[in-house]
Amino acid sequence: MTSLGAVFRPQSPPEQLRAVAQAAEAAGLEQLWLWEDCFLESGIASAAAALAWTERLKVGIGLLPVPLRNVALASMEAATLDRLFPGRFLLGMGHGVQSWMGQVGARAESPLTLLREHLDAMRALLRGERVTCEGRYVRLDGVALDWPPAAPVPVYAGAKGPRTVRLSGEAADGTVFEASTTPADLRAGLRLIDEGRAAAGRDGDHHVVVYMAAATGPGAEDRLRAEIAAFGEELRPGLGAAGDAQTIAKAVELLADAGADSVVLQPTADEPDPVAFVRFVAEEVRPLVG
């Protein structure tokens, strides 16, 4: 059964997060995802607060940009959240938007190399291993977490371009696809993930999360069209959905049929009522999705 989630976008002020997280929990939503977009809201601080305000809801960060974080610190943060809220914290890492990374002096010459090194070291640390490595960007000397997770925390990689998607299969436990992904794009991406996993000799589960732009209520199609235009795309079949619960559920099913394990509904940046949106997803869309 495909998991369903929603995004609390950082365009909404941080003080709205509590109401959204608690509404999502009360309505029975499975997942709430947060972003660490520059220069809006912290992913770790927001996730810790949302987890503390709820008891069952899974809270994901998609994504933390690795150029901003030392891998040991990021692993300490992830391990702490998992031990405080076992099984409820979902972690996604990405190489960051390069223009933003340049603004803060953290732009890497090879973002893919940095992401690969970070994923390899982080996954080892979260398995409780002692890690020594001397990479191009990631360097550790006998580092081990004193309080590792009781069980390894899956680490997702955000991916868009073919090389990054393939890398997610090689070096991550799951992949997060952004909302410009159509069902056809997802099928092509899954082939690249499989290539990466085969090249790395990996087996076992690889969880696939796909964001889907969604709008409901007055002006929904116009708001979705503007959102898609912000991606540099035009509204076309398979790219987001606007309308009632049935229309949006059908679009979710298409992504599930293409291979998504979790579909996360992404409201438009100008969504007027984030609390109502998560209730809509949980109470009206969820019952229509198999």
Side-chain angles (χ1 to χ4, degrees):
M1 184 175 182
T2 303
S3 298
L4 197 63
V7 179
F8 174 79
R9 293 186 61 150
Q11 284 81 5
S12 297
E15 55 268 27
Q16 289 186 2
L17 176 57
R18 183 171 190 162
V20 172
Q22 291 179 337
E25 168 117 320
L29 190 66
E30 296 146 86
Q31 300 176 359
L32 183 68
W33 284 77
L34 311 170
W35 297 351
E36 188 169 80
D37 280 1
C38 297
F39 299 95
L40 295 165
E41 294 165 16
S42 159
I44 292 294
S46 297
L51 287 162
W53 288 325
T54 56
E55 296 182 357
R56 176 201 54 81
L57 184 68
K58 290 189 176 183
V59 177
I61 305 177
L63 307 158
L64 290 179
V66 297
L68 298 184
R69 280 184 169 75
N70 178 279
V71 69
L73 176 59
S75 300
M76 289 163 59
E77 290 174 326
T80 299
L81 285 177
D82 185 74
R83 289 183 71 107
L84 289 171
F85 309 102
R88 294 177 52 210
F89 175 53
L90 306 171
L91 177 62
M93 311 300 291
H95 53 51
V97 176
Q98 296 310 295
S99 59
W100 290 341
M101 299 303 100
Q103 281 183 269
V104 298
R107 185 166 186 161
E109 188 174 305
S110 177
L112 282 183
T113 300
L114 169 58
L115 182 58
R116 180 190 295 275
E117 292 180 0
H118 195 109
L119 289 169
D120 287 345
M122 180 176 236
R123 291 178 63 243
L125 288 168
L126 293 175
R127 289 193 298 265
E129 298 176 14
R130 184 171 299 278
V131 180
T132 296
C133 59
E134 186 69 27
R136 181 174 177 180
Y137 298 104
V138 175
R139 299 176 180 87
L140 299 174
D141 182 8
V143 175
L145 301 179
D146 286 345
W147 296 105
V153 174
V155 181
Y156 297 74
K160 181 178 180 181
R163 291 197 300 159
T164 314
V165 175
R166 193 177 191 278
L167 172 62
S168 75
E170 293 180 37
D173 300 303
T175 303
V176 179
F177 287 92
E178 62 178 32
S180 60
T181 305
T182 65
D185 295 333
L186 179 57
R187 290 188 177 94
L190 292 176
R191 290 192 290 271
L192 290 170
I193 289 170
D194 288 343
E195 288 177 12
R197 286 167 59 77
R202 300 187 62 192
D203 53 19
D205 293 336
H206 186 94
H207 197 91
V208 175
V209 178
V210 185
Y211 289 128
M212 189 189 92
T216 190
E221 186 166 340
D222 289 340
R223 289 191 291 114
L224 180 65
R225 191 181 306 278
E227 185 77 11
I228 298 300
F231 302 161
E233 304 261 5
E234 292 185 358
L235 188 59
R236 63 183 190 276
L239 190 58
D244 60 13
Q246 188 172 25
T247 300
I248 292 173
K250 286 180 180 178
V252 171
E253 292 278 16
L254 290 175
L255 286 170
D257 291 344
D261 298 302
S262 296
V263 178
V264 181
L265 298 189
Q266 174 181 314
T268 58
D270 62 353
E271 167 58 49
D273 191 341
V275 170
F277 183 83
V278 298
R279 286 179 178 150
F280 168 75
V281 175
E283 296 173 354
E284 298 186 45
V285 179
R286 170 76 274 179
L288 302 176
V289 176

